[in-house]
């Protein structure tokens, strides 16, 4: 039996064992910061506390008091992330107007925001859109700003970056997947309409809006570069300002607990590239941005993957690169590699008026004049290529001496065609010197049929 309520409470809720003699409490803010380090647990921190205070509080009390501290403080400690574990990224809602000084057109600049999970070190950058190129550029700039790579990147379900926003198995676009592979990190898209999945960056967006964008609301910007300079100045101030419930700045926390936990950056930054699917045309070219690039002719009719950067066009088939071209800045036209052509086509690949004239020079002066006339008498020199090559090929059958003589006779009668030269050689008229024709030149419209010429 109990005589009073105090005695009853002591029996029911009193501590078992010897009460602590050392009533010193740990620095709970420091405990929270230490928990963000990889491998650090409450058990380890309590053991270190008892090592410094052998007569201090027990483990149960230690855990209860820390939980109470987390409830009293801001959300910084509610979702604990280990150092180097995650970078969260998103776009802010408000935009900043950028005025084109030449036209006066106002472009709403989008504000990309990134934040590290453990230290809350924040990054912000302005771009003209939320398209994939600007999205990737923001990610690359953020990792460069931090000087390292986190194990994962938690991001919003941007349509240009996430092909299928499935929680258990999201599908990324080829470009975003290549970015993750280049930096050896994991992309974790947040669920749609679930802001708590990326709570760090949601809070960082609010801070950027209040600490940076609100201070820029009355300023006018005439270039994206000027806007980013202004954002960078305020961002530096934000990261160096002590946080109220932590007692340290974001930059200090980053240097203490997170910088060493980041993986090193690759030797070169990620180069933005787009991936497209194309079908090889019957002329063994694929169309990319209204320009045609060649592939090996054996792939005619196949479907290939095309990787586009600002400088290079790479074409892949069955995960193997089959062609690479320097990207043309001007649209339209063909870019062809000779080795991609069938053998029957390669002999025409390097044909030019000069190359044809040089070949004719090995036959004789009359052959040179004939080839020049064949290209000069047509609206486009290319229209005379085939006929000129046909005449030059007659040298293999009849020899250069007879061919040059046949060209001389054809020029005398103004018969500038392949069939005329071939007919002269076939009938042997090249062996006779046409004296009469030299004395009385034949009119321009004369022709040769069966070895005789007539008007």
């Amino acid at each position: 039996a109990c005589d009073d309520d105090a005695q009853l409470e002591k029996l029911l809720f009193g501590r078992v064992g010897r009460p602590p003699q050392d009533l010193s409490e740990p620095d709970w803010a420091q405990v929270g910061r230490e928990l963000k380090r990889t491998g650090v647990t409450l058990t380890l921190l309590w053991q270190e506390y008892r090592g410094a205070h052998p007569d201090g509080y027990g483990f149960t009390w230690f855990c209860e008091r820390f939980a109470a501290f987390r409830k009293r403080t801001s959300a910084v400690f509610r979702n604990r992330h280990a150092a180097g574990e995650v970078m969260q990224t998103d776009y802010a809602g408000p935009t900043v107007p950028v005025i084109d000084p030449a036209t006066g057109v106002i472009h709403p600049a989008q504000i990309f925001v990134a934040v590290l999970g453990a230290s809350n070190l924040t990054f912000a950058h302005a771009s003209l859109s939320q398209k994939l190129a600007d999205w990737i550029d923001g990610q690359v700039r953020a990792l460069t700003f931090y000087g390292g790579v986190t194990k994962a990147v938690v991001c919003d379900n941007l349509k240009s970056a996430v092909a299928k926003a499935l929680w258990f198995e999201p599908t990324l676009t080829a470009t975003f997947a290549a970015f993750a592979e280049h930096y050896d990190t994991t992309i974790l898209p947040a669920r749609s309409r679930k802001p708590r999945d990326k709570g760090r960056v949601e809070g960082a967006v609010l801070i950027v809006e209040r600490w940076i964008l609100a201070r820029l609301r009355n300023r006018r910007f005439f270039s994206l570069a000027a806007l980013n300079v202004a954002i960078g100045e305020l961002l530096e101030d934000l990261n160096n300002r002590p946080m109220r419930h932590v007692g340290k700045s974001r930059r200090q926390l980053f240097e203490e607990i997170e910088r060493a936990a980041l993986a090193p950056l690759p030797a070169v930054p990620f180069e933005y590239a787009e991936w497209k699917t194309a079908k090889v045309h019957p002329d063994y070219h694929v169309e990319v941005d209204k320009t045609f690039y060649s592939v090996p002719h054996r792939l005619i009719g196949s479907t290939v993957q095309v990787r586009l950067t600002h400088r290079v066009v790479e074409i892949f088939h069955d995960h193997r690169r089959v062609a690479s071209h320097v990207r043309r800045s001007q649209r339209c036209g063909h870019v062809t590699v000779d080795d991609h052509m069938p053998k029957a086509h390669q002999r025409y690949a390097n044909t030019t008026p000069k190359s044809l004239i040089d070949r004719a020079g090995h036959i004789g002066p009359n052959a040179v004049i004939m080839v020049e006339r064949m290209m000069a008498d047509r609206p486009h020199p290319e229209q005379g290529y085939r006929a000129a090559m046909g005449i030059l090929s007659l040298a293999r059958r009849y020899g250069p001496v007879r061919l040059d003589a046949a060209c001389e006779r054809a020029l005398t009668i103004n018969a500038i065609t392949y069939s005329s030269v071939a007919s002269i050689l076939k009938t042997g008229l090249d062996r006779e010197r046409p004296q009469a024709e030299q004395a009385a030149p034949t009119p321009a419209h004369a022709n040769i049929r069966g070895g005789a010429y007539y008007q």
Side-chain angles (χ1 to χ4, degrees):
C2 297
D3 296 335
D4 53 26
D5 294 340
Q7 187 177 4
L8 178 62
E9 182 179 359
K10 183 177 180 181
L11 291 174
L12 293 175
F13 303 109
R15 290 184 177 274
V16 178
R18 184 174 60 86
Q21 303 299 314
D22 188 346
L23 302 181
S24 301
E25 292 194 18
D27 182 352
W28 298 116
Q30 180 63 26
V31 171
R33 290 193 293 270
E34 289 296 318
L35 270 179
K36 295 180 181 180
R37 294 179 179 270
T38 303
V40 177
T41 64
L42 274 176
T43 302
L44 174 62
L45 294 175
W46 173 74
Q47 290 172 348
E48 293 176 349
Y49 160 75
R50 284 299 294 264
H53 305 276
D55 296 328
Y57 292 99
F59 180 67
T60 301
W61 176 91
F62 187 89
C63 294
E64 290 175 351
R65 295 288 291 179
F66 179 68
F69 167 79
R70 294 178 64 181
K71 291 181 180 179
R72 293 196 307 270
T73 56
S74 66
V76 171
F77 294 102
R78 290 180 187 169
N79 295 318
R80 182 168 59 91
H81 295 285
E85 182 180 86
V86 66
M87 177 181 76
Q88 297 186 5
T89 60
D90 199 359
Y91 279 102
T95 60
V96 179
V98 176
I99 305 170
D100 188 332
T103 63
V105 176
I106 298 176
H107 301 282
Q110 310 292 324
I111 308 302
F112 174 87
V113 179
V115 65
L116 293 180
S119 63
N120 277 316
L121 189 66
T122 304
F123 171 77
H125 179 76
S127 61
L128 290 179
S129 74
Q130 295 187 15
K131 294 181 180 180
L132 182 59
D134 290 318
W135 172 253
I136 296 292
D137 181 63
Q139 309 284 341
V140 173
R141 288 178 180 273
L143 292 177
T144 303
F145 175 79
Y146 295 133
V149 184
T150 56
K151 295 178 182 177
V153 176
V154 176
C155 63
D156 197 13
N157 276 303
L158 196 70
K159 290 183 179 180
S160 57
V162 182
K164 290 185 179 180
L166 301 178
W167 171 246
F168 295 104
E169 197 173 34
T171 302
L172 308 177
T173 61
T175 304
F176 202 20
F179 160 83
E181 182 179 358
H182 182 81
Y183 286 100
D184 193 21
T185 187
T186 304
I187 306 297
L188 301 175
R191 293 173 294 179
S192 179
R193 298 188 182 124
K194 297 292 183 180
R196 290 185 180 180
D197 289 350
K198 48 184 176 65
R200 280 285 193 275
V201 74
E202 292 289 339
V205 164
L206 289 176
I207 292 173
V208 167
E209 291 175 1
R210 295 168 182 172
W211 187 261
I212 296 179
L213 301 187
R215 286 169 167 77
L216 300 177
R217 69 187 186 281
N218 295 323
R219 293 180 59 177
R220 301 176 68 186
F221 297 96
F222 296 93
S223 70
L224 205 60
L227 173 57
N228 279 314
V229 168
I231 290 175
E233 293 172 353
L234 293 175
L235 187 65
E236 191 70 17
D237 188 27
L238 169 65
N239 285 322
N240 291 330
R241 181 170 56 94
M243 291 182 284
R244 183 185 308 170
H245 298 291
V246 181
K248 294 188 176 183
S249 69
R250 293 169 173 82
R251 177 66 65 181
Q252 287 176 308
L253 283 179
F254 172 74
E255 297 295 341
E256 287 181 8
I257 67 173
E258 195 146 31
R259 178 182 287 279
L262 297 176
L265 290 169
V268 294
F270 176 72
E271 183 179 16
Y272 173 76
E274 295 182 17
W275 287 83
K276 296 183 178 181
T277 300
K279 189 173 183 179
V280 181
H281 294 185
D283 64 350
Y284 45 87
H285 286 71
V286 294
E287 182 181 1
V288 179
D289 199 18
K290 298 186 178 180
T291 301
F292 296 88
Y293 298 90
S294 68
V295 300
H297 64 89
R298 61 182 171 78
L299 297 176
I300 292 175
S302 302
T303 299
V304 295
Q305 289 71 46
V306 182
R307 181 178 181 267
L308 292 169
T309 69
H310 294 298
R311 299 172 295 175
V312 179
V313 176
E314 295 178 294
I315 303 170
F316 295 81
H317 182 257
D318 288 340
H319 308 290
R320 300 181 67 179
R321 191 174 74 173
V322 295
S324 178
H325 302 274
V326 176
R327 188 172 184 178
R328 293 184 58 168
S329 57
Q330 296 179 348
R331 295 183 177 182
C332 79
H334 289 70
V335 180
T336 308
V337 175
D338 292 351
D339 291 341
H340 293 165
M341 298 179 173
K343 293 296 183 182
H345 293 190
Q346 289 185 16
R347 65 174 178 266
Y348 299 103
N350 298 316
T351 301
T352 64
K354 183 179 183 304
S355 66
L356 290 174
I357 293 170
D358 289 342
R359 288 176 60 187
H362 295 289
I363 296 171
N366 296 300
V368 171
I369 297 173
M370 174 64 73
V371 169
E372 290 177 340
R373 285 283 304 276
M374 292 190 107
M375 292 183 289
D377 290 350
R378 288 166 171 78
H380 300 285
E382 293 82 356
Q383 296 173 348
Y385 284 4
R386 187 173 298 179
M389 293 180 71
I391 288 177
L392 297 176
S393 68
L394 294 172
R396 292 195 298 270
R397 181 176 180 182
Y398 296 100
V401 176
R402 288 193 63 187
L403 177 58
D404 192 62
C407 290
E408 181 183 9
R409 189 175 188 94
L411 288 168
T412 302
I413 61 176
N414 202 35
I416 316 299
T417 64
Y418 166 79
S419 59
S420 297
V421 176
S423 179
I424 292 172
L425 289 167
K426 184 177 181 180
T427 57
L429 289 178
D430 58 289
R431 299 179 186 276
E432 303 176 6
R433 185 166 183 82
Q435 298 291 341
E437 291 83 15
Q438 291 182 16
T442 305
H445 59 271
N447 200 356
I448 294 179
R449 300 281 177 86
Y453 60 89
Y454 57 91
Q455 300 184 32

